[in-house]
Amino acid sequence: MKIRVEKNILTQHLQDIIAIIPSRETLPVLSNILLEAKDNSLHITATDLELCVRKKIDVEVIQPGKITAPGRKFYDILREISPGKILIEETKNFGVIIKGEKCYFKLLGFSPDEYPDIPKTEGKKLKIETKTITAMITKTCFACSHEETRYVLNGILFDFNNSRLRLVASDGRRLSLAEEQIETTWEGKYIVPHKAVTELLKILEKNTDILTISLSEKNNQMAFLFQNTELITRLIEGDFPNYEEVIPKESKNKLTIKTTDFYQAIKRAHLMTTSESMAVKIEVYSSRVVVSKTTPELGESREELEATYKGEETIVGFNPQYLLDVLKNIDQDVIEIELNGADKPGIIRLGSQYIYLSLIHI
Protein backbone atom coordinates (compact mmCIF):
# COMPACT_ATOMS: atom_id res chain seq x y z
CA MET A 1 0.00 0.00 0.00
CA LYS A 2 1.17 3.50 -0.81
CA ILE A 3 -0.85 6.72 -0.66
CA ARG A 4 -0.43 10.49 -0.60
CA VAL A 5 -2.84 12.57 1.48
CA GLU A 6 -3.22 15.99 3.12
CA LYS A 7 -2.02 15.66 6.69
CA ASN A 8 -4.72 17.91 8.18
CA ILE A 9 -7.56 16.04 6.46
CA LEU A 10 -6.34 12.66 7.68
CA THR A 11 -5.80 13.96 11.21
CA GLN A 12 -9.32 15.41 11.39
CA HIS A 13 -10.89 12.12 10.36
CA LEU A 14 -8.79 10.16 12.84
CA GLN A 15 -10.23 12.29 15.66
CA ASP A 16 -13.56 10.51 15.14
CA ILE A 17 -12.15 7.03 15.69
CA ILE A 18 -9.22 7.36 18.08
CA ALA A 19 -11.44 7.03 21.18
CA ILE A 20 -12.65 3.63 19.94
CA ILE A 21 -9.20 2.09 20.45
CA PRO A 22 -9.25 0.29 23.82
CA SER A 23 -6.71 1.50 26.39
CA ARG A 24 -6.40 -2.04 27.71
CA GLU A 25 -6.83 -4.77 25.17
CA THR A 26 -6.83 -8.53 25.51
CA LEU A 27 -6.17 -8.78 21.78
CA PRO A 28 -3.03 -6.75 20.88
CA VAL A 29 -4.12 -6.09 17.30
CA LEU A 30 -7.03 -4.01 18.64
CA SER A 31 -4.55 -1.28 19.56
CA ASN A 32 -4.09 -0.84 15.81
CA ILE A 33 -6.20 0.76 13.13
CA LEU A 34 -6.74 -0.87 9.75
CA LEU A 35 -5.82 1.22 6.69
CA GLU A 36 -7.03 0.02 3.29
CA ALA A 37 -6.35 1.92 0.07
CA LYS A 38 -8.51 1.27 -3.00
CA ASP A 39 -10.48 3.15 -5.66
CA ASN A 40 -8.84 6.52 -4.86
CA SER A 41 -10.00 6.26 -1.25
CA LEU A 42 -8.54 5.35 2.12
CA HIS A 43 -10.75 3.27 4.39
CA ILE A 44 -9.85 3.52 8.09
CA THR A 45 -11.26 1.12 10.69
CA ALA A 46 -11.01 1.00 14.48
CA THR A 47 -12.80 -1.45 16.77
CA ASP A 48 -12.91 -2.82 20.30
CA LEU A 49 -15.09 -5.74 19.12
CA GLU A 50 -18.20 -4.15 20.64
CA LEU A 51 -18.00 -0.88 18.71
CA CYS A 52 -16.52 -0.13 15.30
CA VAL A 53 -16.03 3.12 13.36
CA ARG A 54 -15.14 3.20 9.69
CA LYS A 55 -14.07 6.30 7.76
CA LYS A 56 -13.65 6.81 4.04
CA ILE A 57 -11.60 9.73 2.69
CA ASP A 58 -10.34 10.73 -0.76
CA VAL A 59 -6.59 10.21 -1.23
CA GLU A 60 -4.11 9.66 -4.02
CA VAL A 61 -3.68 5.88 -4.21
CA ILE A 62 -0.26 5.13 -5.64
CA GLN A 63 -0.48 1.44 -4.79
CA PRO A 64 -3.59 -0.26 -3.37
CA GLY A 65 -3.35 -2.54 -0.36
CA LYS A 66 -3.98 -2.64 3.37
CA ILE A 67 -1.89 -2.41 6.53
CA THR A 68 -2.35 -1.88 10.25
CA ALA A 69 -0.71 0.79 12.40
CA PRO A 70 -0.63 1.49 16.17
CA GLY A 71 -3.64 3.80 16.35
CA ARG A 72 -2.81 6.27 19.08
CA LYS A 73 0.86 6.57 18.14
CA PHE A 74 -0.06 7.01 14.46
CA TYR A 75 -2.46 9.81 15.44
CA ASP A 76 0.08 11.49 17.76
CA ILE A 77 2.69 11.52 14.99
CA LEU A 78 0.29 13.03 12.48
CA ARG A 79 -0.64 15.81 14.91
CA GLU A 80 3.00 16.88 15.19
CA ILE A 81 3.89 16.75 11.48
CA SER A 82 3.84 20.08 9.64
CA PRO A 83 0.81 20.73 7.39
CA GLY A 84 1.00 19.59 3.78
CA LYS A 85 1.04 16.39 1.78
CA ILE A 86 2.39 13.28 3.49
CA LEU A 87 3.28 9.87 2.08
CA ILE A 88 2.15 6.69 3.82
CA GLU A 89 3.44 3.37 2.59
CA GLU A 90 3.77 -0.25 3.58
CA THR A 91 7.17 -1.76 4.28
CA LYS A 92 8.47 -5.22 5.15
CA ASN A 93 7.26 -7.16 8.18
CA PHE A 94 4.00 -5.21 8.39
CA GLY A 95 5.63 -1.86 9.01
CA VAL A 96 4.21 1.49 7.92
CA ILE A 97 6.27 4.52 6.90
CA ILE A 98 5.07 8.11 7.31
CA LYS A 99 6.98 10.75 5.36
CA GLY A 100 6.46 14.47 5.72
CA GLU A 101 8.37 17.21 3.92
CA LYS A 102 11.29 16.98 6.36
CA CYS A 103 10.46 14.07 8.66
CA TYR A 104 10.32 10.29 8.57
CA PHE A 105 8.66 7.79 10.90
CA LYS A 106 8.39 4.03 10.81
CA LEU A 107 5.89 2.12 12.93
CA LEU A 108 5.50 -1.63 13.37
CA GLY A 109 2.02 -3.07 13.01
CA PHE A 110 0.37 -6.46 12.64
CA SER A 111 -0.59 -8.45 9.62
CA PRO A 112 -3.90 -7.06 8.31
CA ASP A 113 -5.13 -10.67 8.21
CA GLU A 114 -5.10 -10.64 12.03
CA TYR A 115 -7.48 -7.68 12.18
CA PRO A 116 -11.01 -8.68 13.23
CA ASP A 117 -13.55 -9.06 10.46
CA ILE A 118 -16.43 -6.68 11.12
CA PRO A 119 -19.63 -8.07 9.58
CA LYS A 120 -21.70 -5.69 7.49
CA THR A 121 -24.95 -4.55 9.00
CA GLU A 122 -27.44 -5.43 6.35
CA GLY A 123 -31.07 -5.21 7.29
CA LYS A 124 -33.83 -2.71 7.90
CA LYS A 125 -32.96 0.94 7.24
CA LEU A 126 -34.48 4.31 8.05
CA LYS A 127 -33.38 7.91 7.65
CA ILE A 128 -33.55 10.71 10.21
CA GLU A 129 -32.29 14.30 10.27
CA THR A 130 -29.05 14.74 12.22
CA LYS A 131 -30.38 17.73 14.19
CA THR A 132 -33.35 15.64 15.34
CA ILE A 133 -31.38 12.63 16.57
CA THR A 134 -28.69 14.91 18.07
CA ALA A 135 -31.28 16.72 20.20
CA MET A 136 -32.85 13.43 21.29
CA ILE A 137 -29.53 11.91 22.37
CA THR A 138 -28.40 15.10 24.14
CA LYS A 139 -31.57 15.16 26.23
CA THR A 140 -31.34 11.52 27.30
CA CYS A 141 -27.80 10.12 27.40
CA PHE A 142 -26.84 11.77 30.70
CA ALA A 143 -29.43 9.64 32.51
CA CYS A 144 -27.79 6.30 31.57
CA SER A 145 -26.53 4.10 34.36
CA HIS A 146 -22.80 3.37 34.68
CA GLU A 147 -23.17 0.56 37.20
CA GLU A 148 -22.03 -2.81 35.88
CA THR A 149 -24.71 -4.58 37.88
CA ARG A 150 -27.44 -2.75 35.93
CA TYR A 151 -26.24 -3.78 32.50
CA VAL A 152 -29.48 -3.17 30.58
CA LEU A 153 -29.49 0.42 31.87
CA ASN A 154 -25.97 1.06 30.54
CA GLY A 155 -27.37 2.42 27.28
CA ILE A 156 -30.23 4.23 25.58
CA LEU A 157 -33.37 2.40 24.58
CA PHE A 158 -34.36 3.02 20.95
CA ASP A 159 -38.10 2.29 20.96
CA PHE A 160 -39.54 2.19 17.42
CA ASN A 161 -43.31 2.04 17.10
CA ASN A 162 -44.65 2.66 13.60
CA SER A 163 -44.32 6.40 12.92
CA ARG A 164 -42.55 7.46 16.11
CA LEU A 165 -39.20 6.95 17.78
CA ARG A 166 -38.54 7.24 21.50
CA LEU A 167 -35.14 7.39 23.15
CA VAL A 168 -35.23 6.47 26.83
CA ALA A 169 -32.47 6.40 29.43
CA SER A 170 -32.60 5.69 33.15
CA ASP A 171 -30.20 4.89 35.96
CA GLY A 172 -32.97 3.79 38.32
CA ARG A 173 -33.00 7.17 40.05
CA ARG A 174 -34.19 9.30 37.14
CA LEU A 175 -35.61 8.80 33.68
CA SER A 176 -35.32 10.85 30.50
CA LEU A 177 -37.51 10.32 27.42
CA ALA A 178 -37.39 12.08 24.05
CA GLU A 179 -39.93 11.39 21.30
CA GLU A 180 -40.15 12.36 17.64
CA GLN A 181 -42.46 11.50 14.77
CA ILE A 182 -40.47 9.90 11.94
CA GLU A 183 -41.21 8.09 8.72
CA THR A 184 -40.82 4.42 9.59
CA THR A 185 -42.79 1.23 9.87
CA TRP A 186 -40.32 -0.29 12.34
CA GLU A 187 -41.52 -1.82 15.56
CA GLY A 188 -39.09 -2.99 18.22
CA LYS A 189 -36.94 -2.03 21.19
CA TYR A 190 -33.13 -2.02 21.05
CA ILE A 191 -30.61 -0.91 23.69
CA VAL A 192 -27.61 0.99 22.28
CA PRO A 193 -24.57 1.09 24.65
CA HIS A 194 -23.66 4.43 26.23
CA LYS A 195 -20.18 4.41 24.68
CA ALA A 196 -21.64 4.00 21.20
CA VAL A 197 -24.11 6.82 21.78
CA THR A 198 -21.35 9.10 23.09
CA GLU A 199 -19.15 8.49 20.06
CA LEU A 200 -22.14 8.87 17.74
CA LEU A 201 -22.89 12.27 19.28
CA LYS A 202 -19.34 13.45 18.53
CA ILE A 203 -19.74 12.43 14.89
CA LEU A 204 -23.21 13.96 14.63
CA GLU A 205 -21.89 17.34 15.75
CA LYS A 206 -19.57 17.40 12.71
CA ASN A 207 -22.13 16.25 10.14
CA THR A 208 -25.13 17.85 8.49
CA ASP A 209 -25.96 14.81 6.37
CA ILE A 210 -29.10 12.79 6.87
CA LEU A 211 -28.36 9.89 9.22
CA THR A 212 -29.25 6.39 8.11
CA ILE A 213 -29.89 3.81 10.84
CA SER A 214 -29.47 0.19 9.82
CA LEU A 215 -30.44 -2.79 11.93
CA SER A 216 -29.22 -6.37 11.73
CA GLU A 217 -31.17 -8.45 14.23
CA LYS A 218 -29.30 -11.54 13.06
CA ASN A 219 -25.96 -10.09 14.26
CA ASN A 220 -27.53 -8.09 17.11
CA GLN A 221 -26.00 -4.93 15.65
CA MET A 222 -27.10 -1.42 14.77
CA ALA A 223 -25.22 0.84 12.37
CA PHE A 224 -25.34 4.61 11.98
CA LEU A 225 -24.33 5.72 8.50
CA PHE A 226 -23.25 9.04 7.06
CA GLN A 227 -21.78 9.74 3.65
CA ASN A 228 -18.20 8.96 4.69
CA THR A 229 -18.55 7.55 8.21
CA GLU A 230 -20.06 4.38 9.62
CA LEU A 231 -20.48 3.52 13.30
CA ILE A 232 -21.45 -0.06 14.09
CA THR A 233 -22.31 -1.20 17.59
CA ARG A 234 -23.30 -4.43 19.23
CA LEU A 235 -26.62 -4.01 21.04
CA ILE A 236 -27.11 -4.72 24.73
CA GLU A 237 -29.04 -7.93 25.24
CA GLY A 238 -31.83 -7.99 27.78
CA ASP A 239 -35.15 -6.33 28.50
CA PHE A 240 -35.26 -2.63 29.33
CA PRO A 241 -37.64 -1.94 32.26
CA ASN A 242 -41.21 -0.92 31.40
CA TYR A 243 -40.59 2.82 31.54
CA GLU A 244 -44.21 3.73 30.77
CA GLU A 245 -45.29 2.34 34.15
CA VAL A 246 -43.33 4.97 36.10
CA ILE A 247 -44.49 8.02 34.12
CA PRO A 248 -47.37 9.63 36.07
CA LYS A 249 -50.25 11.54 34.54
CA GLU A 250 -49.77 15.27 34.14
CA SER A 251 -50.17 17.16 37.41
CA LYS A 252 -51.84 20.52 38.04
CA ASN A 253 -49.18 21.47 40.61
CA LYS A 254 -46.79 23.32 38.31
CA LEU A 255 -43.84 25.57 39.04
CA THR A 256 -43.12 28.02 36.20
CA ILE A 257 -39.62 29.50 36.29
CA LYS A 258 -36.93 30.88 33.98
CA THR A 259 -34.67 28.03 32.95
CA THR A 260 -31.36 29.91 33.10
CA ASP A 261 -32.10 31.56 36.45
CA PHE A 262 -33.05 28.23 38.02
CA TYR A 263 -30.00 26.50 36.53
CA GLN A 264 -27.62 29.16 37.88
CA ALA A 265 -29.20 29.08 41.34
CA ILE A 266 -28.95 25.29 41.56
CA LYS A 267 -25.35 25.46 40.30
CA ARG A 268 -24.42 27.94 43.02
CA ALA A 269 -26.14 25.88 45.73
CA HIS A 270 -24.26 22.83 44.45
CA LEU A 271 -21.02 24.53 45.58
CA MET A 272 -22.08 23.96 49.19
CA THR A 273 -22.71 20.23 48.86
CA THR A 274 -20.47 17.36 49.87
CA SER A 275 -20.59 13.65 49.11
CA GLU A 276 -22.17 13.11 52.54
CA SER A 277 -24.63 16.01 52.22
CA MET A 278 -25.89 16.28 48.66
CA ALA A 279 -29.54 17.39 48.72
CA VAL A 280 -30.41 21.00 47.93
CA LYS A 281 -33.60 22.36 49.54
CA ILE A 282 -36.18 24.04 47.31
CA GLU A 283 -38.99 25.97 49.01
CA VAL A 284 -41.85 26.68 46.63
CA TYR A 285 -44.32 29.53 47.19
CA SER A 286 -46.98 31.07 44.95
CA SER A 287 -44.71 33.78 43.50
CA ARG A 288 -41.17 32.79 44.44
CA VAL A 289 -38.75 29.94 44.97
CA VAL A 290 -36.02 29.74 47.59
CA VAL A 291 -33.01 27.56 46.82
CA SER A 292 -30.82 26.83 49.82
CA LYS A 293 -28.17 24.48 51.09
CA THR A 294 -26.84 23.99 54.60
CA THR A 295 -23.86 21.75 55.27
CA PRO A 296 -22.85 21.66 58.96
CA GLU A 297 -19.11 21.29 58.37
CA LEU A 298 -19.03 23.73 55.44
CA GLY A 299 -21.60 26.53 55.70
CA GLU A 300 -24.79 27.59 53.98
CA SER A 301 -26.27 29.41 50.99
CA ARG A 302 -29.68 30.87 50.19
CA GLU A 303 -31.10 32.42 47.02
CA GLU A 304 -34.57 33.69 46.11
CA LEU A 305 -35.99 33.59 42.58
CA GLU A 306 -39.14 34.92 40.95
CA ALA A 307 -41.49 32.15 39.88
CA THR A 308 -45.15 31.19 39.61
CA TYR A 309 -46.58 28.14 41.31
CA LYS A 310 -50.06 26.64 41.13
CA GLY A 311 -50.57 24.28 44.02
CA GLU A 312 -50.00 23.98 47.74
CA GLU A 313 -46.76 25.50 49.02
CA THR A 314 -44.19 22.77 49.43
CA ILE A 315 -40.58 21.99 50.31
CA VAL A 316 -38.62 19.39 48.35
CA GLY A 317 -35.03 18.23 48.28
CA PHE A 318 -33.19 17.33 45.08
CA ASN A 319 -29.80 16.01 44.13
CA PRO A 320 -28.60 19.16 42.32
CA GLN A 321 -26.77 17.18 39.64
CA TYR A 322 -30.05 15.56 38.59
CA LEU A 323 -31.44 19.04 37.88
CA LEU A 324 -28.29 20.52 36.32
CA ASP A 325 -27.98 17.66 33.83
CA VAL A 326 -31.42 18.29 32.39
CA LEU A 327 -31.61 22.08 32.70
CA LYS A 328 -28.45 22.67 30.68
CA ASN A 329 -29.88 20.66 27.79
CA ILE A 330 -33.25 22.44 27.60
CA ASP A 331 -33.43 25.23 25.02
CA GLN A 332 -36.64 26.83 26.31
CA ASP A 333 -36.47 30.13 28.21
CA VAL A 334 -39.16 29.10 30.68
CA ILE A 335 -39.99 25.63 31.99
CA GLU A 336 -42.72 24.04 34.03
CA ILE A 337 -41.85 21.59 36.79
CA GLU A 338 -44.54 19.37 38.28
CA LEU A 339 -44.14 18.98 42.05
CA ASN A 340 -46.39 16.62 43.99
CA GLY A 341 -44.61 16.49 47.34
CA ALA A 342 -41.31 15.34 48.76
CA ASP A 343 -41.98 11.64 48.18
CA LYS A 344 -43.13 11.96 44.55
CA PRO A 345 -41.02 12.45 41.42
CA GLY A 346 -40.33 15.91 40.07
CA ILE A 347 -41.33 16.06 36.40
CA ILE A 348 -40.38 18.29 33.48
CA ARG A 349 -42.47 17.98 30.31
CA LEU A 350 -41.88 19.74 27.01
CA GLY A 351 -45.15 18.98 25.27
CA SER A 352 -45.22 15.40 24.03
CA GLN A 353 -41.60 15.49 22.86
CA TYR A 354 -39.76 15.30 26.17
CA ILE A 355 -40.29 14.02 29.70
CA TYR A 356 -37.78 14.04 32.54
CA LEU A 357 -38.45 12.44 35.91
CA SER A 358 -36.30 12.59 38.99
CA LEU A 359 -37.64 9.38 40.53
CA ILE A 360 -35.45 9.63 43.62
CA HIS A 361 -34.68 13.16 44.74
CA ILE A 362 -31.54 12.64 46.73
Side-chain angles (χ1 to χ4, degrees):
M1 189 197 90
K2 188 175 183 180
I3 64 169
R4 187 173 284 110
V5 60
E6 281 285 343
K7 171 258 184 183
N8 285 345
I9 293 176
L10 181 55
T11 305
Q12 289 170 7
H13 283 279
L14 282 172
Q15 288 176 349
D16 290 337
I17 70 172
I18 207 67
I20 306 302
I21 300 170
S23 55
R24 294 180 180 179
E25 71 288 332
T26 55
L27 193 63
V29 73
L30 295 181
S31 66
N32 282 228
I33 54 176
L34 180 67
L35 306 170
E36 183 174 8
K38 60 181 180 180
D39 303 326
N40 295 318
S41 299
L42 177 66
H43 300 255
I44 312 169
T45 303
T47 184
D48 63 2
L49 297 182
E50 296 294 323
L51 179 63
C52 170
V53 175
R54 290 183 175 132
K55 302 284 290 187
K56 176 184 176 183
I57 61 175
D58 295 332
V59 300
E60 179 188 350
V61 178
I62 301 170
Q63 182 179 339
K66 58 183 178 179
I67 56 175
T68 70
R72 296 184 188 279
K73 190 60 66 177
F74 185 80
Y75 176 65
D76 289 342
I77 289 170
L78 287 178
R79 289 173 60 192
E80 299 303 325
I81 293 178
S82 300
K85 294 275 189 179
I86 59 171
L87 191 71
I88 300 174
E89 63 180 312
E90 180 181 2
T91 186
K92 293 181 179 180
N93 299 320
F94 312 118
V96 55
I97 292 173
I98 307 167
K99 291 181 182 177
E101 183 180 357
K102 297 181 180 179
C103 62
Y104 167 97
F105 291 89
K106 179 181 178 182
L107 294 172
L108 299 178
F110 290 84
S111 166
D113 294 335
E114 294 184 40
Y115 205 80
D117 182 29
I118 309 299
K120 292 183 178 181
T121 304
E122 297 177 343
K124 296 188 293 186
K125 289 183 171 62
L126 68 85
K127 296 183 183 295
I128 186 170
E129 292 187 1
T130 54
K131 64 179 181 180
T132 298
I133 194 70
T134 299
M136 295 179 75
I137 292 173
T138 300
K139 289 178 179 176
T140 53
C141 67
F142 60 81
C144 288
S145 174
H146 300 283
E147 299 176 18
E148 293 183 4
T149 56
R150 313 193 79 171
Y151 187 59
V152 295
L153 298 181
N154 291 172
I156 291 183
L157 176 70
F158 279 60
D159 182 357
F160 298 92
N161 190 341
N162 292 324
S163 60
R164 67 109 173 113
L165 168 63
R166 283 179 180 169
L167 266 55
V168 186
S170 176
D171 60 7
R173 301 173 181 87
R174 52 185 172 170
L175 181 145
S176 190
L177 181 156
E179 178 177 322
E180 287 288 345
Q181 299 300 309
I182 61 173
E183 294 183 9
T184 179
T185 57
W186 286 21
E187 287 193 33
K189 298 180 180 181
Y190 311 94
I191 308 172
V192 179
H194 182 266
K195 180 179 179 179
V197 172
T198 301
E199 295 307 317
L200 174 62
L201 196 57
K202 294 177 184 176
I203 299 171
L204 284 166
E205 291 170 350
K206 300 177 184 179
N207 284 272
T208 56
D209 301 331
I210 295 292
L211 172 66
T212 299
I213 302 176
S214 178
L215 174 68
S216 175
E217 293 183 288
K218 177 182 177 181
N219 297 323
N220 193 38
Q221 290 181 329
M222 186 174 286
F224 301 89
L225 313 162
F226 301 92
Q227 184 176 359
N228 296 313
T229 304
E230 180 180 17
L231 184 149
I232 305 169
T233 180
R234 189 177 300 279
L235 299 170
I236 294 176
E237 297 184 21
D239 295 324
F240 199 87
N242 187 346
Y243 63 88
E244 294 176 316
E245 287 186 345
V246 301
I247 300 176
K249 293 181 180 180
E250 190 169 350
S251 169
K252 295 181 180 179
N253 299 330
K254 294 181 179 179
L255 168 68
T256 304
I257 192 168
K258 290 183 178 179
T259 308
T260 300
D261 291 351
F262 194 42
Y263 174 82
Q264 293 296 339
I266 297 296
K267 189 176 181 181
R268 285 187 281 267
H270 193 10
L271 297 172
M272 301 302 293
T273 65
T274 65
S275 57
E276 291 78 25
S277 178
M278 185 60 69
V280 167
K281 184 166 74 171
I282 302 174
E283 301 168 62
V284 184
Y285 304 98
S286 61
S287 60
R288 62 192 175 96
V289 166
V290 178
V291 179
S292 62
K293 176 59 186 172
T294 300
T295 306
E297 67 274 21
L298 186 60
E300 61 183 89
S301 69
R302 179 182 174 87
E303 186 168 349
E304 188 170 307
L305 304 171
E306 292 183 359
T308 301
Y309 181 62
K310 296 180 180 179
E312 293 186 8
E313 296 180 353
T314 185
I315 299 176
V316 294
F318 279 99
N319 181 322
Q321 195 60 57
Y322 292 175
L323 288 174
L324 294 175
D325 284 342
V326 64
L327 291 173
K328 69 181 179 182
N329 289 306
I330 291 178
D331 54 8
Q332 293 189 189
D333 294 336
V334 176
I335 58 167
E336 289 184 338
I337 305 174
E338 299 171 27
L339 298 172
N340 295 300
D343 60 342
K344 299 290 179 63
I347 307 163
I348 296 174
R349 299 181 203 256
L350 305 181
S352 62
Q353 291 185 308
Y354 185 66
I355 300 174
Y356 177 78
L357 287 79
S358 182
L359 302 170
I360 299 176
H361 296 184
I362 309 304

